[in-house]
Structure formats: C-alpha cells, structure tokens
C-alpha cells in the first residue's frame, strides 16, 4: 500500500500579523527569547515594508523615520508537536524576503543569516551588500534545523 503524502504544515502563513519595533528603538536584550514580551512593539500584517503606496505588496507600512540600520520583527508561533519519530523526519523550510539583510532566530537560537556578515551583530551592523529593485523582492529559501522547535 502506498503511503499517503501529507501537505506540509505551515507554521506561519503568508499575511500573518507580526510585531515590529519602531525605527530607532532598541529592543530588550532578550527580545528574541521564547516568552519575551512587552516593550513598545507595534503589530502589523505581512508583508511589512516602506513603500509609500504599497507598490511592493506591503500591507503594513513601517515608518522610515528616524532612519535606522536595523528593524526588528518577531512572531509567536504555537507548536504542539516538537518531534516526530526517526522514520518521520520533520523538515523545516524558512522563506525570507528582506531589504537588505536579515538574521533569523528560532527560540532564541540563530538559525540563518541572509546577506549579513559573519560574527556578532547589533542594531548598527549593516548588511553585507545593498539590494536594489528585484533583489528587495526576491524570496530566499533555506532548510532549518527542526530540532530548534519546542512544544508551546
């Protein structure tokens, strides 16, 4: 008997609401840790961005002023099943669209960088290169270590 294929589980659907920090504000040191909350984070529906008239598909416009090198985003995900048996390997796919770079954390652990330099980063660390035009709209896809998922 042929095993039925299952549709992939989507943890964060397109068009989800995300919290973002206003430009120029610094997050709490534990901003990327599970359970972190509070602060002056705003809420917006993805895609989030800067275009004045939504020409790049943005549904939430983030203020450009004051000009900042780094913008912070976070999303709480409720995940009920952290692991599957060895014969049912869980695969986790990350898709990122960023201008110009991104560092992605999952449960407080860095899991991927997109166009960012190696080493420690902070709110003043620029991307490795500037992206223009289509480069700002291109999705990057990566496999992520699913063991970073935890129940809750």
């Amino acid at each position: 008997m042929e095993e039925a294929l299952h549709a992939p589980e989507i943890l964060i659907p397109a068009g989800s609401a995300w919290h973002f920090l206003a430009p120029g504000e610094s997050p709490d040191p534990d901003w990327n840790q599970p359970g972190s909350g509070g602060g002056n984070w705003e809420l917006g529906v993805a895609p989030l961005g800067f275009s004045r008239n939504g020409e790049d598909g943005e549904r939430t416009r983030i203020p450009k002023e004051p000009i900042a090198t780094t913008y912070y985003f976070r999303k709480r995900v409720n995940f009920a099943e952290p692991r599957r048996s060895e014969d049912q390997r869980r695969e986790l796919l990350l898709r990122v669209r960023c201008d110009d770079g991104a560092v992605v954390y999952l449960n407080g652990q860095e899991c991927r960088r997109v166009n960012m330099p190696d080493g420690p980063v902070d709110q003043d660390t620029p991307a490795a290169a500037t992206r223009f035009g289509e480069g700002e709209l291109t999705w990057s896809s990566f496999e992520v270590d699913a063991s970073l998922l935890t129940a809750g």
Side-chain angles (χ1 to χ4, degrees):
M1 178 180 223
E2 194 171 309
E3 188 175 322
L5 296 176
H6 297 281
E9 178 181 9
I10 297 173
L11 295 178
I12 304 175
S16 293
W18 285 76
H19 284 95
F20 65 95
L21 197 56
E25 291 194 34
S26 298
D28 293 331
D30 65 344
W31 74 272
N32 61 2
Q33 299 297 314
S36 176
N40 297 326
W41 294 79
E42 297 180 48
L43 188 63
V45 176
L48 299 99
F50 304 118
S51 72
R52 291 189 186 124
N53 58 10
E55 73 241 7
D56 292 335
E58 290 90 348
R59 290 180 61 193
T60 299
R61 185 167 180 258
I62 298 173
K64 273 189 126 170
E65 301 293 333
I67 295 173
T69 301
T70 301
Y71 294 83
Y72 293 89
F73 303 88
R74 69 180 178 196
K75 175 78 175 159
R76 185 174 300 229
V77 177
N78 189 10
F79 181 67
E81 181 189 342
R83 300 176 202 260
R84 294 182 177 194
S85 65
E86 289 299 320
D87 61 328
Q88 293 180 314
R89 183 176 169 262
R90 179 177 296 280
E91 295 177 4
L92 191 57
L93 179 68
L94 168 68
R95 295 184 66 226
V96 177
R97 187 178 103 176
C98 60
D99 172 17
D100 291 306
V103 179
V104 180
Y105 300 88
L106 180 57
N107 285 324
Q109 299 293 314
E110 183 180 322
C111 62
R112 181 56 74 173
R113 288 181 185 216
V114 178
N115 194 32
M116 291 296 292
D118 292 334
V121 295
D122 63 22
Q123 67 187 28
D124 297 317
T125 305
T130 303
R131 293 180 171 183
F132 295 101
E134 286 299 315
E136 298 174 353
L137 303 176
T138 302
W139 287 92
S140 301
S141 297
F142 308 96
E143 284 189 31
V144 173
D145 182 1
S147 69
L148 293 174
L149 291 171
T150 57

